């Protein structure tokens, strides 16, 4: 009776604890999910989100290595939009919200399970005092991570990092759950579940795999009560081998092996296409089936479990079949076109992004001494696979190479930055000590510890390269730009301190648990720093990469609550009260984080990422071709076309992709309302590895001046020997002149009446009816019947060649536009012949009479910007606009200035005044603070008679610039770009005031300009 009573009591205690643990776990899930749902982006934000939403909605093919399982889930969430295209982005964003909520749920349960080990609590014997401590630790740790800067950022947008974090949290929780199960059969099922979840996570992001060594330690400690150094090292070695098997042997390895089988079966055995892949697939399935049957019949439990785990990893990994299937249908977004096993392998290996040396490689000063042929590159021919090229392998001077290379890139801007971070003189060669200094100062310090401190100490601002805050930083006098920055969050180091307390507390109480959490922190933090080997500049902040390390630190924050409770317990007799007091005290940590971070993580009512994309497309005439540059120029445009169906007649061409044959091939296909592009060059001319990947300029003694573009393209089509130059690897085409000319077809005098006669720089010419239609009447006097197109550098890339071919063969039928980024990125100078019509520049056969100013189609640009553009909530000061959004607003302000300046020059002051006021109305200082472009608006305000507004703006701009420069000087912050912007503002303010007759005020800012310029030169 006593034994039964004891068992009943233990079961009752276990049930009580389980219910309380579940209740608090779901409570933090609700808090996190509601927080993220209230602050979620309502449309497609910048960077990869627009692409992921577009490809999820229609199951297309994103950039390598893809995220097929994310796309499948995103497609399912898009159904919740119920056919409302405007709601698709919101619901796919909600996938990240739900994933993040579950991440917090499993984090809570992981903390409580690990806390039991610290408190030496046996499963089912939790006392009331211990339950309070366990709930307090789980609550504070999980809520601290809920409101951490980097995780909150990813939780509210359609990116893979939130879903990846869910898989990481789940498998870590699952291995802790496995550890508590005594029945080996039931425990093995958990291992199989973990394997399956890891397989699925491959179709989202590979971060989950980095947790394997930490999971391996838990497995080792559970099965070996007596641990040894040798055992731990062996376990970690096995875990690293497992990671290698998955990351090398399975993810790219199986497709690579399939590719080898395919080439052998087709080329050597004469079998049909697909036979090699089919054979390998059957062989793998057969081997697994045989192994499972054999291990089952012979009672080999470990082997059987391992094979089942491998099977489930492969089942999860099979989501990648989506990439092959969808690519074979040639969707509009089909990056890398991975529809064959050969191209699929390249896609998985991310070969288009190149590689970075890790263990051994060159310094950035190393000379390239040789280039050799590497592995062959196959393409599908008519009845076999043919070798089209060989991968190029660069050999660098071994005297300028090192182990553990960190500073390796030879890009010009990278070289300069390496020297800056290493404090090297212009021609000084780096030493291994400099290499390590760069590693610790930049890669560890700037690209990891700075992000770590953002999350647990505080963040200075959202300005790129912003630092972290100490508790006393808020006491400093701050310039307006930083003081009002919503991303300035000071946590007073409370999360950091609590986490460090928890770290040392776990180290003292549970060394095994500490080694697991510590290994998780290192593998998802410093180990990633080593593996990624970051260049000295990134296009944006990369803190979201390291959320796994921040997750591990949040566990220590939870343990900090227990440590404080134990400390308070020394002074209180009631131990339950000590746990409750500690929890209540520590609630301040996530509360401060939530209060500080809410305004800069709240993305509600923010639409300008999509509206700026609409403005790009709205700037284009019907059936246009638009060249774009980077991700933010392109992915929002893909979103509005693919999801919202806006301006699908415009063919968007990504300039960087235009260097690849697969992308050019896609441009030869129709897409929605857009017809194929008119190229004269064939696939033989633009194939990868062909003679036209890169065409250097080589001077020819017999060629002087410009050459005929159409004749040059004819030589390219014919692969003429006249363009060849001997090369170590092959004969490549070259460019024989630095200027091309393209004649514009006109009418003979006899073919047209005198009223169509136009005068150009080349004499009298007659415009065809089509040219009269596309060239504005006021610009027809600037018509030129010959375009002279200069090389900017000393070579044409394939993208430049294809643009020239497109222009020559388009015959001005389809409007061709560039945005500002692509206009600067192309290696041909088109600026003399482009006309601004909004946010885009149209190529026309007219020559700009004033190269210092933009050539503007006034009426079209006025209509676009004043009537056709979108400005939703851009004037709302309560909406948070980070640096990306402010930059795009700056670009629009600049376009307003260009239009107003053009109207003033043409004497149309009434419309110019309307334009300037429209700029101030839709992009006010209250929501998007005035910037250096605004300083150019000052003179325009004076010229249209808005003196009062101009003076108010001048004093605002000038005083803020003075504040910021003083702050940067006093804090010894050498932010050269920021300083240059502020000096430009002071200069612009002083000039505008002096020219408009306000010399007294102008003198004030002249003096400030001279003072700050002198100070900066003394840095």
């Amino acid at each position: 009776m006593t034994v039964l009573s004891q068992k009943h009591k233990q079961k009752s205690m276990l049930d009580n604890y389980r219910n309380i643990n579940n209740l608090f776990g779901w409570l933090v899930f609700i808090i996190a999910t509601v927080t993220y749902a209230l602050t979620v982006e309502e449309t497609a934000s910048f960077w990869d989100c627009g692409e992921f939403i577009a490809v999820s909605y229609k199951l297309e093919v994103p950039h390598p290595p893809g995220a097929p399982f994310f796309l499948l889930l995103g497609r399912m969430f898009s159904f919740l939009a119920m056919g409302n295209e405007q709601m698709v982005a919101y619901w796919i964003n909600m996938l990240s919200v739900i994933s993040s909520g579950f991440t917090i749920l499993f984090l809570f349960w992981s903390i409580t399970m690990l806390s039991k080990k610290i408190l030496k609590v046996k499963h089912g014997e939790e006392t009331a005092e211990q339950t309070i401590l366990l709930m307090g630790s789980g609550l504070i740790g999980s809520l601290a991570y809920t409101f951490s800067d980097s995780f909150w950022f990813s939780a509210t947008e359609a990116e893979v990092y939130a879903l990846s974090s869910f898989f990481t949290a789940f498998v870590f929780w699952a291995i802790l759950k496995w550890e508590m199960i005594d029945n080996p059969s039931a425990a093995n099922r958990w291992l199989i579940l973990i394997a399956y979840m890891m397989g699925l996570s491959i179709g989202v992001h590979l971060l989950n795999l980095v947790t394997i060594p930490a999971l391996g330690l838990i497995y080792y400690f559970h099965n070996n009560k007596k641990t040894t150094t040798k055992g731990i090292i062996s376990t970690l070695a096995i875990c690293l081998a497992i990671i290698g098997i998955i990351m090398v042997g399975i993810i790219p390895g199986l497709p690579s092996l399939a590719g080898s089988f395919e080439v052998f079966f087709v080329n050597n055995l004469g079998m049909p296409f697909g036979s090699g892949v089919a054979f390998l697939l059957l062989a793998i399935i057969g081997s697994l089936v045989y192994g499972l049957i054999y291990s089952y019949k012979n009672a080999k439990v470990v082997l059987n479990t391992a094979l089942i785990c491998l099977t489930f990893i492969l089942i999860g990994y099979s989501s990648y079949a989506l990439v092959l299937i969808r690519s074979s249908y040639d969707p509009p977004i089909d990056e890398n076109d991975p529809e064959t096993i050969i191209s699929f392998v390249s896609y998985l290996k991310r070969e288009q992004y190149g590689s970075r040396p890790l263990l051994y490689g060159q310094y950035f000063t190393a000379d390239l001494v040789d280039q050799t042929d590497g592995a062959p590159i196959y393409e599908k021919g008519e009845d076999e696979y043919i070798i089209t090229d060989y991968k190029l392998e660069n050999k660098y001077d071994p005297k300028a190479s090192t182990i553990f290379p960190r500073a390796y890139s030879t890009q010009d801007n990278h070289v300069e930055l390496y020297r800056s971070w290493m404090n090297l003189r212009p021609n000084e060669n780096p030493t291994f000590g400099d290499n390590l200094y760069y590693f610790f100062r930049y890669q560890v310090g700037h690209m990891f510890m700075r992000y770590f401190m953002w999350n647990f100490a505080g963040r200075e601002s959202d300005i790129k390269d912003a630092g972290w805050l100490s508790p006393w930083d808020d006491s400093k006098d701050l310039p307006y730009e930083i003081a009002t920055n919503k991303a300035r969050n000071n946590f007073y180091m409370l999360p950091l301190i609590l986490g460090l307390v928890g770290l040392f507390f776990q180290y003292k109480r549970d060394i095994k648990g500490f080694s697991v959490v510590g290994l998780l922190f290192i593998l998802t933090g410093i180990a990633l720093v080593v593996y990624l080997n970051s260049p000295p500049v990134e296009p944006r902040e990369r803190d979201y990469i390291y959320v796994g390390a921040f997750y591990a630190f949040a566990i220590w924050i939870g343990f900090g609550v227990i440590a404080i409770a134990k400390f308070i317990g020394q002074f209180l007799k009631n131990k339950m009260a000590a746990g409750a007091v500690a929890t209540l005290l520590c609630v301040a940590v996530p509360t401060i984080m939530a209060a500080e971070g809410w305004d800069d993580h709240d993305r509600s009512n923010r639409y300008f990422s999509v509206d700026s994309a609409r403005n790009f497309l709205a700037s284009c005439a019907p059936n246009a071709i638009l060249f774009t540059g980077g991700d933010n120029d392109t992915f929002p445009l893909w979103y509005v076309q693919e999801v919202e169906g806006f301006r699908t007649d415009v063919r968007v061409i990504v300039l960087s992709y235009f260097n690849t044959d697969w992308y050019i091939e896609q441009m030869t296909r129709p897409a929605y309302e857009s017809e194929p592009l008119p190229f004269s060059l064939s696939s033989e001319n633009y194939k990868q590895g062909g003679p036209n990947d890169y065409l250097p300029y080589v001077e020819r003694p017999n060629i002087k001046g410009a050459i005929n573009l159409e004749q040059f393209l004819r030589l390219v089509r014919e692969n003429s020997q006249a363009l060849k130059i001997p090369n170590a690897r092959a004969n490549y085409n070259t460019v024989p002149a630095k200027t091309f000319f393209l004649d514009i077809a006109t009418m003979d005098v006899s073919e047209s009446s005198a009223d169509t006669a136009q005068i150009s720089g080349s004499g009298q010419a007659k415009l065809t009816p089509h040219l009269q239609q596309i060239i504005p009447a006021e610009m027809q006097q600037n018509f030129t019947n010959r375009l002279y197109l200069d090389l900017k550098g000393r070579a044409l890339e394939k993208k430049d060649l294809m643009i020239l071919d497109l222009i020559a063969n388009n015959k001005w039928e389809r409007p061709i536009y560039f945005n500002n980024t692509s206009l600067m990125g192309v290696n041909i100078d088109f600026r003399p012949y482009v006309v601004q019509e909004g946010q885009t520049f149209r190529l026309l056969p007219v020559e700009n009479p004033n190269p210092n100013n933009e050539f503007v189609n006034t009426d079209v640009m006025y209509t676009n910007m004043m009537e056709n553009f979108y400005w939703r909530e851009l004037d709302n000061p309560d909406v948070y606009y980070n640096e990306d959004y402010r930059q795009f607003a700056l670009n629009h302000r600049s376009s307003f200035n260009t239009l107003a300046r053009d109207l003033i020059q043409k004497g149309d002051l009434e419309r110019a005044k309307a334009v300037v006021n429209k700029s101030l109305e839709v992009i006010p200082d209250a929501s998007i603070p005035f910037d250096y472009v605004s300083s150019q608006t000052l003179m325009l305000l004076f010229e249209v008679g808005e003196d009062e507004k101009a003076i108010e703006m001048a004093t605002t701009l000038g005083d803020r610039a003075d504040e910021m420069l003083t702050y940067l000087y006093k804090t010894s912050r050498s932010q050269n770009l920021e300083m240059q912007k502020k000096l430009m503002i002071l200069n612009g303010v002083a000039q505008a005031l002096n020219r408009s007759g306000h010399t007294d005020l102008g003198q004030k800012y002249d003096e400030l300009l001279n003072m700050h310029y002198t100070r900066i030169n003394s840095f």
Side-chain angles (χ1 to χ4, degrees):
M1 188 70 179
T2 306
V3 174
L4 290 175
S5 176
Q6 183 68 24
K7 288 183 177 180
H8 178 75
K9 182 180 179 182
Q10 287 180 349
K11 183 177 184 302
S12 177
M13 291 174 62
L14 177 61
D15 288 342
N16 288 337
Y17 174 77
R18 183 186 292 121
N19 291 336
I20 294 171
N21 191 43
N22 289 342
L23 176 64
F24 274 87
W26 287 107
L27 175 64
V28 295
F29 168 80
I30 291 171
I31 292 172
T33 305
V34 169
T35 295
Y36 302 146
L38 290 174
T39 57
V40 70
E41 188 97 29
E42 294 168 79
T43 186
S45 52
F46 280 123
W47 300 106
D48 295 347
C49 300
E51 177 198 22
F52 276 126
I53 294 170
V55 298
S56 295
Y57 183 53
K58 294 185 176 177
L59 290 182
E60 301 178 79
V61 182
H63 64 272
F69 190 66
F70 176 89
L71 304 189
L72 289 169
L73 290 178
R75 176 59 177 156
M76 292 175 63
F77 270 74
S78 73
F79 293 150
L80 297 173
M82 302 296 180
N84 184 349
E85 294 169 344
Q86 302 292 325
M87 293 297 293
V88 168
Y90 170 81
W91 281 110
I92 297 179
N93 288 336
M94 284 298 291
L95 169 59
S96 292
V97 168
I98 301 299
S99 301
S100 299
F102 275 106
T103 300
I104 300 303
L105 171 68
F106 289 115
L107 171 59
F108 175 88
W109 286 337
S110 297
I111 293 174
T112 57
M113 280 192 281
L114 288 167
S115 296
K116 281 186 178 183
K117 295 183 178 182
I118 294 177
L119 295 174
K120 312 298 182 189
V121 178
K122 291 185 179 180
H123 187 54
E125 298 181 7
E126 300 87 355
T127 65
E129 171 200 336
Q130 292 167 339
T131 299
I132 291 174
L133 281 178
L134 294 172
M135 295 307 104
S137 65
L139 188 69
I140 303 305
S142 59
L143 288 180
Y145 191 59
T146 297
F147 301 114
S148 62
D149 181 65
S150 300
F151 184 70
W152 195 348
F153 177 87
S154 296
T156 54
E157 65 177 16
E159 253 279 21
V160 297
Y161 299 103
L163 186 57
S164 174
S165 293
F166 159 73
F167 279 108
T168 300
F170 181 88
V171 298
F172 190 72
W173 166 81
I175 197 67
L176 295 174
K177 191 78 173 175
W178 164 87
E179 190 181 19
M180 297 170 60
I181 298 173
D182 295 327
N183 185 339
S185 177
N188 285 345
R189 293 174 187 171
W190 281 88
L191 292 178
I192 294 167
L193 175 61
I194 290 170
Y196 178 57
M197 294 296 281
M198 283 193 163
L200 288 177
S201 75
I202 293 171
V204 179
H205 196 270
L206 298 182
L207 177 65
N208 190 255
L209 301 179
V210 184
T211 65
I212 289 177
L215 308 187
L217 273 188
I218 295 174
Y219 184 91
Y220 173 74
F221 292 146
H222 180 71
N223 289 301
N224 298 271
K225 302 303 179 185
K226 186 177 181 180
T227 60
T228 63
T229 302
K230 180 180 178 182
I232 293 173
I233 293 174
S234 300
T235 299
L236 294 178
I238 292 171
C239 291
L240 291 174
I242 292 173
I243 294 176
I245 290 170
I246 296 174
M247 292 190 67
V248 179
I250 292 179
I251 297 175
L254 286 180
S256 296
L257 186 61
S260 299
F261 270 80
E262 178 72 1
V263 171
F264 176 76
F265 272 64
V266 174
N267 287 16
N268 296 77
L269 302 183
M271 300 287 283
F273 289 117
S275 56
V277 175
F279 175 83
L280 180 63
L281 185 62
L282 291 173
I284 291 173
I285 294 174
S287 299
L288 285 172
V289 170
Y290 173 80
L292 289 170
I293 294 173
Y294 168 81
S295 59
Y296 178 78
K297 287 184 175 180
N298 293 275
K300 296 184 178 296
V301 178
V302 174
L303 177 60
N304 184 263
T305 303
L307 288 174
I308 293 176
C309 288
L310 176 59
T311 301
F312 273 86
I313 288 174
L314 293 175
I315 291 172
Y317 175 51
S318 66
S319 66
Y320 262 100
L322 175 72
V323 174
L324 285 162
I325 293 169
R326 292 299 295 152
S327 180
S328 66
Y329 282 89
D330 295 330
I333 300 176
D334 188 13
E335 299 193 48
N336 288 62
D337 194 25
E339 61 184 42
T340 68
I341 191 65
I342 305 299
S343 57
F344 182 58
V345 172
S346 174
Y347 181 83
L348 286 176
K349 290 183 175 180
R350 297 165 53 96
E351 290 181 351
Q352 73 177 59
Y353 300 119
S355 60
R356 299 173 181 178
L358 293 178
L359 300 179
Y360 184 82
Q362 73 282 357
Y363 287 123
F364 62 90
T365 55
D367 293 326
L368 181 65
V369 295
D370 193 15
Q371 289 183 317
T372 58
D373 289 339
I377 298 174
Y378 288 95
E379 283 188 7
K380 192 175 181 180
E382 292 186 5
D383 53 6
E384 67 174 4
Y385 290 98
I386 56 175
I387 298 176
T388 59
D389 197 10
Y390 292 88
K391 294 177 183 176
L392 187 63
E393 294 186 355
N394 294 326
K395 306 292 183 183
Y396 291 92
D397 183 359
K399 295 179 180 178
S401 298
T402 181
I403 58 171
F404 194 61
R406 300 287 97 188
Y408 58 88
S409 174
T410 56
Q411 293 184 30
D412 290 341
N413 62 326
H414 288 181
V415 169
E416 182 180 347
L417 287 168
Y418 282 138
R419 294 190 179 281
S420 175
W421 281 103
M422 294 179 179
N423 299 321
L424 294 179
R425 294 185 297 274
N427 295 315
E428 187 178 0
N429 291 325
T431 64
F432 186 68
D434 296 324
N435 183 64
L436 289 181
Y437 180 70
Y438 169 76
F439 169 66
F440 286 109
R441 185 185 178 199
Y442 176 77
Q443 293 185 332
V444 175
H446 191 74
M447 294 301 290
F448 175 70
M449 287 305 301
R450 180 171 62 101
Y451 296 148
F452 175 79
M453 298 298 280
W454 276 7
N455 284 270
F456 302 112
R459 182 174 180 174
E460 183 185 50
S461 69
D462 62 10
I463 299 172
K464 195 172 186 297
D465 295 323
W468 54 273
L469 295 177
S470 61
W472 46 87
D473 274 327
D474 269 355
S475 63
K476 296 181 179 179
D477 294 329
L478 297 174
Y480 175 87
E481 188 172 342
I482 292 180
T484 60
N485 192 292
K486 292 181 179 180
R488 184 176 179 84
N489 303 322
N490 201 333
F491 306 145
Y492 306 102
M493 285 191 176
L494 293 177
L496 177 67
I497 294 169
L498 189 59
L500 291 175
V501 169
L503 182 155
F504 288 110
F505 185 73
Q506 188 189 30
Y507 176 76
K508 289 289 186 180
R509 295 293 189 98
D510 179 21
I511 189 65
K512 290 182 179 179
F514 172 79
S515 63
V516 170
V517 179
L519 187 61
L520 181 65
F521 178 83
I522 291 171
L523 290 172
T524 54
I526 301 299
L528 272 183
V529 173
V530 173
Y531 177 74
L532 294 173
N533 201 2
S534 299
V537 64
E538 294 278 8
R540 60 166 168 159
E541 301 287 10
R542 299 293 192 186
D543 55 299
Y544 53 84
I545 296 173
Y546 303 107
V547 290
F550 309 152
Y551 179 94
F553 194 79
I555 295 175
W556 282 324
I557 290 177
F559 298 157
V561 178
I562 302 176
I564 290 176
K566 292 296 183 183
F567 176 77
I568 294 174
Q570 297 177 18
F571 307 98
L572 290 179
K573 293 181 180 180
N574 189 329
K575 303 303 181 185
M576 293 177 59
V581 169
T583 302
L584 289 173
L585 287 173
C586 293
V587 163
V589 170
T591 300
I592 290 173
M593 295 174 75
E596 286 283 299
W598 192 280
D599 57 352
D600 58 297
H601 290 89
D602 183 3
R603 305 188 184 199
S604 55
N605 297 317
R606 193 169 76 177
Y607 301 100
F608 197 59
S609 52
V610 170
D611 284 354
S612 63
R614 286 172 170 267
N615 294 346
F616 275 130
L617 295 171
S619 301
C620 299
N623 200 31
I625 299 166
L626 171 61
F627 287 95
T628 63
D631 294 356
N632 287 342
D633 288 348
T634 304
F635 294 156
L637 276 69
W638 284 1
Y639 162 77
V640 294
Q641 287 188 319
E642 296 290 322
V643 178
E644 298 187 3
F646 182 79
R647 292 300 305 272
T648 54
D649 60 303
V650 178
R651 180 63 69 99
V652 176
I653 302 179
V654 189
L655 196 62
S656 56
Y657 293 174
F658 217 40
N659 268 328
T660 63
D661 52 1
W662 58 265
Y663 190 69
I664 298 170
E665 188 67 29
Q666 289 176 22
M667 295 300 107
T668 65
R669 302 194 295 258
Y672 303 114
E673 302 168 66
S674 174
E675 294 299 318
L677 300 190
F679 296 123
S680 71
L681 298 178
S682 68
S683 58
E684 283 298 310
N685 301 127
Y686 58 73
K687 68 180 180 180
Q688 217 69 13
N692 300 312
D693 283 346
Y694 183 81
L695 294 83
Y697 164 66
V698 177
E699 187 176 359
R700 307 294 208 278
N702 59 329
I703 296 178
K704 305 294 182 182
I707 60 173
N708 188 301
L709 175 60
E710 292 179 312
Q711 291 182 11
F712 172 74
L713 291 171
R714 177 179 58 79
L715 294 175
V716 172
R717 286 194 298 272
E718 296 171 354
N719 200 21
S720 171
Q721 290 298 316
L723 299 179
K724 302 293 182 186
I725 184 172
N727 181 276
R729 301 181 65 237
N731 285 331
Y732 283 92
N733 285 335
T734 62
V735 180
K738 294 199 72 174
T739 303
F740 301 99
F741 69 82
L742 176 65
D743 288 327
I744 312 301
T746 56
M747 297 172 63
D748 295 333
V749 175
S750 60
E751 295 179 11
S752 175
S753 59
D755 60 3
T756 62
Q758 306 295 333
I759 303 299
S760 74
S762 57
Q764 186 171 344
K766 306 292 184 179
L767 297 186
T768 64
H770 179 65
L771 289 176
Q772 290 183 61
Q773 183 180 5
I774 66 172
I775 300 174
E778 67 272 16
M779 291 185 180
Q780 290 183 8
Q781 62 183 348
N782 303 108
F783 169 76
T784 177
N785 58 9
R786 175 171 287 184
L787 269 60
Y788 288 92
L789 305 174
D790 298 327
L791 269 71
K792 291 181 182 177
R794 297 189 61 83
L796 286 178
E797 295 179 29
K798 187 188 297 181
K799 68 175 188 292
D800 311 308
L801 176 66
M802 297 310 298
I803 292 173
L804 291 173
D805 183 53
L806 174 63
I807 291 169
N809 288 278
N810 183 52
K811 306 298 182 186
W812 309 101
E813 290 298 321
R814 293 182 67 173
I816 295 177
Y817 290 86
F818 298 87
N819 71 355
N820 194 54
T821 309
S822 60
L823 196 59
M824 292 188 296
V826 71
N827 292 321
I828 304 292
D829 186 11
F830 291 113
R831 282 204 172 271
Y833 310 106
V834 294
V835 176
Q836 189 167 357
E837 296 186 356
Q839 285 301 104
T840 58
F841 300 84
R842 183 172 181 174
L843 184 68
L844 285 174
V846 293
E847 191 164 5
N848 188 348
N850 185 0
N852 294 323
N853 290 331
E854 304 291 358
F855 206 9
V856 178
N857 187 337
T858 311
D859 292 337
V860 170
M861 188 169 178
Y862 185 90
T863 301
N864 282 336
M865 298 203 69
M866 301 293 283
E867 300 174 15
N868 297 337
F869 276 16
Y870 298 81
W871 313 100
R872 288 177 296 174
E873 300 291 339
L874 196 57
D875 60 347
N876 187 347
D878 295 329
V879 177
Y880 171 58
Y881 292 105
N882 66 14
E883 195 170 33
D884 295 323
Y885 289 82
R886 296 196 298 270
Q887 182 63 40
F888 272 77
L890 179 152
N891 294 339
H892 282 71
R893 276 178 174 160
S894 180
S895 295
F896 273 121
N897 287 350
T898 297
L899 177 58
R901 188 180 302 112
D902 182 73
L903 287 165
I904 290 170
Q905 289 173 352
K906 292 174 179 176
D908 193 344
L909 295 183
E910 183 178 349
R911 286 205 296 173
K913 182 177 181 179
V915 168
V916 177
N917 284 323
K918 178 79 169 182
S919 171
L920 299 177
E921 173 193 340
V922 297
I923 319 176
D925 177 59
S927 58
I928 307 290
F930 292 145
D931 47 57
Y932 68 91
V933 172
S934 302
S935 66
Q936 301 165 13
T937 311
L938 287 175
M939 200 63 228
L940 302 175
L941 283 168
F942 281 123
E943 291 186 36
V944 299
E946 294 281 13
D947 288 34
E948 186 177 341
K949 289 181 180 179
I951 292 173
E952 182 182 356
M953 179 186 282
T955 54
T956 299
L957 278 166
D959 291 347
R960 288 179 188 172
D962 174 41
E963 287 177 1
M964 190 66 174
L965 286 165
T966 301
Y967 173 77
L968 293 174
Y969 177 75
K970 285 183 177 179
T971 55
S972 301
R973 299 287 295 277
S974 182
Q975 295 187 11
N976 294 330
L977 180 60
E978 198 61 34
M979 289 179 172
Q980 289 172 15
K981 288 179 181 178
K982 303 311 174 190
L983 290 175
M984 286 173 59
I985 288 174
L986 283 177
N987 185 54
V989 168
Q991 286 191 14
L993 290 169
N994 289 328
R995 289 178 183 176
S996 60
H998 300 83
T999 53
D1000 290 342
L1001 192 56
Q1003 184 179 359
K1004 169 188 172 181
Y1005 293 110
D1006 263 331
E1007 291 172 355
L1008 287 173
L1009 174 65
N1010 293 329
M1011 179 190 72
H1012 287 299
Y1013 186 78
T1014 303
R1015 275 181 172 179
I1016 289 171
N1017 283 340
S1018 67
F1019 257 24

